[in-house]
Amino acid sequence: ETGVTQTPRHLVMGMTNKKSLKCEQHLGHNAMYWYKQSAKKPLELMFVYNFKEQTENNSVPSRFSPECPNSSHLFLHLHTLQPEDSALYLCASSQWQAGGPTDTQYFGPGTRLTVL
Amino acid sequence: RKEVEQDPGPFNVPEGATVAFNCTYSNSASQSFFWYRQDCRKEPKLLMSVYSSGNEDGRFTAQLNRASQYISLLIRDSKLSDSATYLCVVNKIVGGSQGNLIFGKGTKLSVKP
């Protein structure tokens, strides 16, 4: 399945590095999401974009910086991360309808990030 | 009460067994309910949406009890391939509107031969 793709799949970086995660959705959706999944914790929603506009930032540290150039692409720019930021970062997309019920989200395979 | 709470698991069952997962949610205004499945080191994938009237998809049956704010998933005739973590998912209510999804921690199922 290639509805939502993410690159890279694995990333090891030092605390002083700058890197970016990329997500692309081929489903024609208008909303995209970044989630963080750490061991033994539920998925944590980080950022939401509807129609390319950021609509939610769940108190995410500024060392994570999202970018959504169009409704099909989403980036997560990483800068001076900490070892506790090591996790699986998942991108998802959905078709958002104003005033409607929350629609199903489709996930990419994730980027497994290790911060040394 | 946590926003979405699930049985802690893990559930270890033999092939062919019937297993049930339970989930409770805190906001009575939520309207969207889902069960997702997540295999080890993979992304979550939608297993089924949950409707008020209950719904069935092959060996899987999902039920919703709005009065008790309770969702269940029943798996009949378990297969080895059912081994995964099952995530209960409910939408968040923000300012009276239907918002984003909240995921439970998940319940791990291991089906043994």
Side-chain angles (χ1 to χ4, degrees):
Chain A
E1 296 178 15
T2 57
V4 182
T5 57
Q6 288 186 244
T7 55
R9 296 292 305 276
H10 300 271
L11 178 62
V12 179
M13 59 187 288
M15 289 192 287
T16 58
N17 292 159
K18 287 186 183 180
K19 296 285 184 185
S20 295
L21 310 185
K22 179 183 175 183
C23 176
E24 184 173 357
Q25 60 96 1
H26 310 272
L27 301 169
H29 289 160
N30 56 19
M32 295 187 76
Y33 311 79
W34 278 117
Y35 286 88
K36 174 183 178 182
Q37 188 173 37
S38 305
K40 302 194 185 298
K41 286 188 174 181
L43 266 72
E44 300 171 55
L45 181 63
M46 300 174 72
F47 301 104
V48 181
Y49 279 82
N50 285 337
F51 300 103
K52 302 185 299 177
E53 299 296 321
Q54 188 180 126
T55 58
E56 194 157 334
N57 176 340
N58 279 346
S59 304
V60 180
S62 59
R63 56 187 185 268
F64 294 92
S65 173
E67 179 190 357
C68 189
N70 55 61
S71 57
S72 298
H73 292 85
L74 185 64
F75 295 88
L76 187 63
H77 303 299
L78 314 173
H79 176 49
T80 59
L81 295 192
Q82 305 297 312
E84 60 264 29
D85 296 323
S86 298
L88 179 67
Y89 288 85
L90 290 158
C91 172
S93 72
S94 73
Q95 187 62 22
W96 180 80
Q97 299 174 44
T102 308
D103 205 356
T104 307
Q105 291 181 16
Y106 296 86
F107 286 84
T111 295
R112 190 157 296 279
L113 173 68
T114 303
V115 182
L116 301 177
Chain B
R1 179 191 262 187
K2 290 182 183 175
E3 289 182 296
V4 178
E5 196 155 10
Q6 296 185 240
D7 283 348
F11 284 51
N12 298 306
V13 303
E15 268 187 293
T18 296
V19 60
F21 301 138
N22 304 315
C23 171
T24 56
Y25 60 96
S26 62
N27 196 317
S28 59
S30 294
Q31 290 188 17
S32 300
F33 309 92
F34 308 92
W35 283 101
Y36 275 72
R37 168 193 170 132
Q38 187 171 22
D39 291 286
C40 187
R41 304 185 74 80
K42 296 284 186 72
E43 74 274 21
K45 292 186 178 179
L46 178 68
L47 178 65
M48 55 199 305
S49 301
V50 186
Y51 304 116
S52 295
S53 54
N55 47 302
E56 188 173 311
D57 182 3
R59 297 180 293 107
F60 299 85
T61 301
Q63 293 197 313
L64 169 64
N65 183 323
R66 286 188 184 273
S68 303
Q69 292 172 217
Y70 169 95
I71 307 162
S72 66
L73 176 68
L74 185 76
I75 305 176
R76 290 180 299 278
D77 189 22
S78 301
K79 310 291 184 193
L80 296 177
S81 56
D82 294 334
S83 297
T85 296
Y86 290 83
L87 307 173
C88 176
V89 185
V90 177
N91 74 317
K92 189 173 184 175
I93 307 302
V94 180
S97 299
Q98 304 296 314
N100 299 307
L101 298 180
I102 305 169
F103 288 76
K105 278 190 177 182
T107 302
K108 187 173 180 180
L109 172 66
S110 183
V111 181
K112 306 290 187 187

